[in-house]
Every structure is written in C-alpha cells, then in structure tokens.
C-alpha cells in the first residue's frame, strides 16, 4: 500500500526535479557523468540548470503540494550551496 506522503508527490514532477538535479550534480563535478563515466566541472552549465529549477519553482508556485514544494526547495538550496562552494574554489585557484 502506498503511504499518504508518496501520494502527495506527482511522480512526473519528482522525476523532472531529479533529472535536473542529477545534471547539476554532474556539472558541479560532484557526480560521474552517466554517459561517459567521467567527472568534469561545468559551472556555467550548472548555473543554467539551477536557474531552470528556480524557474520551475516560480512557474508552479501555488500549484504544488507541500511535499513537492519541500523537495523542490531543498534540491535548489543544496545545489546553490554546492555551486557557491565550487565557484569559490575557482576564484581561489
């Protein structure tokens, strides 16, 4: 039986958020690219991907369940913190 919490999250939205997040983690150099298995940074690409998640949050505001909003917001926050960390490393080097 499905838990009520799982019913509060549209699986398509969850998959979309996860897809963008996975791309951003790869672009931040925090995860292997699933296609070639390599780790490489693309901070500009990561910023674009994070911006797309921000746009998704803005465009869906008021139409998300509490759980969906929590997932989207925490994903964006985690990515922004890691982006700032990686960007700071680029300045120091």
């Amino acid at each position: 039986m499905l838990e009520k919490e799982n019913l509060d999250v549209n699986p398509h939205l969850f998959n979309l958020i996860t897809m963008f997040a996975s791309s951003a983690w790869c672009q931040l150099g925090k995860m292997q690219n699933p296609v070639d298995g390599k780790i490489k940074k693309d901070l500009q690409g990561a910023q674009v991907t994070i911006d797309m998640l921000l746009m998704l949050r803005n465009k869906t505001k008021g139409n998300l369940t509490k759980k969906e909003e929590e997932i989207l917001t925490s994903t964006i926050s985690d990515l922004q913190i890691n982006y700032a960390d990686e960007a700071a490393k680029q300045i120091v080097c």
Side-chain angles (χ1 to χ4, degrees), residues 32 35-36 83:
Q32 285 182 338
V35 175
D36 61 14
Y83 176 86

Side-chain angles (χ1 to χ4, degrees), residues 14-59:
F14 182 78
N15 287 337
L16 182 64
I17 294 167
T18 302
M19 180 186 70
F20 281 129
S22 295
S23 292
W25 288 120
C26 289
Q27 292 162 330
L28 290 169
K30 305 280 186 174
M31 196 170 98
Q32 285 182 338
N33 183 318
V35 175
D36 61 14
K38 295 180 181 178
I39 294 178
K40 51 188 169 179
K41 289 183 189 177
D42 175 10
L43 292 183
Q44 187 175 9
Q47 183 61 63
V48 170
T49 304
I50 294 167
D51 287 346
M52 290 175 73
L53 283 166
L54 288 165
M55 181 271 307
L56 180 65
R57 183 179 67 185
N58 291 338
K59 292 292 185 179

Side-chain angles (χ1 to χ4, degrees), residues 51-83:
D51 287 346
M52 290 175 73
L53 283 166
L54 288 165
M55 181 271 307
L56 180 65
R57 183 179 67 185
N58 291 338
K59 292 292 185 179
T60 59
K61 190 172 186 159
N63 293 310
L64 300 176
T65 66
K66 184 176 183 199
K67 187 65 178 172
E68 289 169 339
E69 191 172 333
E70 287 172 3
I71 291 168
L72 186 53
T73 299
S74 68
T75 299
I76 291 167
S77 295
D78 289 345
L79 290 169
Q80 287 176 323
I81 289 167
N82 280 274
Y83 176 86

